[in-house]
Amino acid sequence: MSGSCNFEGCTVDETGICALERDPSTCGNRVSNEAVGAISADAPVDEVTSQPGDRLGAPVLEQPVRMSPFPSSRRLGLEDLNAMMGARYVNVVGILGDPESGKTACLASLYLLVSHAMLKGWSFADSRSLAAFEEIARGARDWNDGKAPEQMTVHTELADDHSPGFLHLRLVRLSDGRRVDLALPDVPGEWTQALVNTARSDRLDFMKSAEAIWIVLDGRTLADIEKRQGLIARVGQLAGRLNTMLDGHVPRLMVVVTHRDLHILNDNVADRLQKELIRRGAKAEIVGVAPFSDHPDEVPAGFGMAELIDLTVGRPAERPTFWQSSEPAESDRAYLSYRRDR
Ligand SMILES: Nc1nc2c(ncn2[C@@H]2O[C@H](COP(=O)(O)OP(=O)(O)OP(=O)(O)O)[C@@H](O)[C@H]2O)c(=O)[nH]1
Ligand SMILES: [Mg+2]
């Protein structure tokens, strides 16, 4: 080791040659280069000298990435619906109808029926929007001293008036065990009015993926002779708008007439509705429902909802018998009995 070098046996002071064959002016073992050497060995000068100042007040540990323990069970937005549709087959249903016609009531009633195992032919499998269903069904549960509330559901208002909120329900069909995922939008009646009156359809773009569309009509309006014709004409206009919006590819239509507990749809009115739809190039099934009932002894609450779901999902496809049964007829045994009597 020489005076200016820490390396054992180095004679750089005497010979001018570094024992490690390095350039003496940059060798880290030289006393004059030590500070620089220590720094340059590991990191750039700037980084090391600036570090202590930068770390002051900084968190000691990295914050772990937070994951929500349970997915939200509120209404699904369009992104949630897209993600779900990427993972499994989803039956999107379009639900249209004037304000107060009974759209939300149908959804609340469907949820109440299925949650009490009372939806004929169907059983509950899952829902990603239980909180949203609970929210719309809450009104039907708050009874005052055993008296039913005036309004079972309240007018639908969305936090974002530009994008719909969907309710999800997975049901199992008891007849064949088929599972269906229904995506049911709960949108305000004003959206239907805007479509009919001003052809505003941007918010209803999701209907292009719909497998069935419910046009919900207030049965009381159809029963009222003064208002009836106006409503039938508007249904025709709506069918025309749908035809334009969906480029002629209108999915299965269902005209859902609510308040079946108060009024039975007259055959003559049903005919006029059908004629109006045919005039517009549309075809629909008409279903009378009573999501809630003011006369539960005559028409139970939830009347017609199972039929509506049957129609929405479609009838089960006829499957050919895989292995034909071949029961032996009486005479077939003749071969086995051949000569037995001899
Ligand atoms: N008795 C009886 N009441 C019903 C029936 N259908 C709906 N209602 C009531 O009619 C009112 C209006 O129904 P909603 O389902 O809230 O109407 P909506 O179409 O969702 O209306 P908006 O959200 O304003 O577009 C509610 O108080 C329901 O309880 C029915 O078949 N029978
Ligand atoms: Mg509503």
Side-chain angles (χ1 to χ4, degrees):
M1 189 168 76
S2 60
S4 66
C5 183
N6 291 330
F7 188 72
E8 195 67 52
C10 186
T11 55
V12 70
D13 283 346
E14 289 82 28
T15 61
I17 299 169
C18 173
L20 298 173
E21 295 183 13
R22 293 180 183 161
D23 181 357
S25 61
T26 59
C27 178
N29 293 318
R30 296 264 289 173
V31 175
S32 53
N33 293 341
E34 224 170 22
V36 177
I39 293 167
S40 64
D42 295 309
V45 181
D46 287 0
E47 210 176 276
V48 175
T49 48
S50 66
Q51 240 187 20
D54 281 357
R55 300 288 308 162
L56 269 180
V60 181
L61 296 174
E62 297 260 315
Q63 190 175 15
V65 182
R66 276 180 191 273
M67 301 276 280
S68 164
F70 296 109
S72 156
S73 63
R74 307 194 73 78
R75 283 158 206 256
L76 306 176
L78 281 171
E79 290 97 58
D80 306 310
L81 183 66
N82 267 338
M84 194 160 71
M85 288 174 85
R88 56 191 313 134
Y89 191 87
V90 179
N91 281 37
V92 178
V93 181
I95 305 181
L96 299 172
D98 286 336
E100 298 285 298
S101 57
K103 299 177 295 298
T104 309
C106 285
L107 298 178
S109 175
L110 179 63
Y111 170 65
L112 291 171
L113 284 173
V114 87
S115 59
H116 289 86
M118 285 172 71
L119 188 68
K120 196 165 160 258
W122 297 90
S123 74
F124 174 83
D126 191 17
S127 170
R128 299 253 187 102
S129 54
L130 278 180
F133 269 121
E134 276 297 316
E135 195 182 301
I136 59 168
R138 196 187 309 137
R141 292 212 179 101
D142 290 341
W143 287 38
N144 299 324
D145 302 326
K147 285 215 177 82
E150 284 268 303
Q151 286 229 315
M152 293 287 195
T153 47
V154 291
H155 172 60
T156 305
E157 276 177 35
L158 297 177
D160 176 2
D161 198 41
H162 298 280
S163 107
F166 290 89
L167 298 152
H168 165 250
L169 203 54
R170 185 175 303 155
L171 300 175
V172 180
R173 183 157 57 193
L174 300 180
S175 61
D176 59 357
R178 182 178 160 200
R179 281 163 188 263
V180 285
D181 283 82
L182 295 172
L184 307 152
D186 185 23
V187 296
E190 286 78 9
W191 288 27
T192 304
Q193 286 181 323
L195 177 65
V196 174
N197 298 341
T198 62
R200 181 171 177 194
S201 63
D202 54 321
R203 299 174 290 190
L204 296 166
D205 255 358
F206 70 89
M207 303 248 294
K208 290 178 180 155
S209 319
E211 203 139 308
I213 296 179
W214 301 352
I215 298 179
V216 183
L217 306 181
D218 188 336
R220 294 168 302 184
T221 313
L222 278 183
D224 184 333
I225 194 159
E226 286 180 14
K227 298 181 183 163
R228 181 185 296 158
Q229 190 47 41
L231 183 56
I232 293 175
R234 282 171 53 76
V235 172
Q237 286 171 350
L238 178 58
R241 295 281 194 218
L242 283 176
N243 210 10
T244 315
M245 184 182 137
L246 305 174
D247 291 329
H249 303 292
V250 180
R252 276 175 297 122
L253 282 185
M254 267 132 257
V255 172
V256 183
V257 183
T258 59
H259 292 86
R260 172 64 177 69
D261 52 318
L262 302 177
H263 304 283
I264 299 174
L265 184 67
N266 195 306
D267 285 347
N268 170 39
V269 178
D271 275 356
R272 279 167 58 189
L273 254 175
Q274 286 288 18
K275 280 201 184 113
E276 179 63 24
L277 287 168
I278 290 167
R279 203 170 68 80
R280 299 280 185 163
K283 211 171 129 252
E285 302 258 10
I286 301 178
V287 197
V289 299
F292 298 109
S293 178
D294 289 346
H295 304 283
D297 297 335
E298 291 146 43
V299 179
F303 179 93
M305 293 307 299
E307 191 194 345
L308 179 60
I309 296 299
D310 287 341
L311 286 171
T312 305
V313 174
R315 308 233 174 270
E318 285 285 324
R319 293 185 192 171
T321 315
F322 179 67
W323 197 271
Q324 292 285 350
S325 138
S326 53
E327 289 296 316
E330 190 69 21
S331 55
D332 283 356
R333 298 188 63 82
Y335 174 72
L336 296 176
S337 312
Y338 182 61
R339 286 190 172 174
R340 195 173 273 176
D341 51 341
R342 298 190 189 177

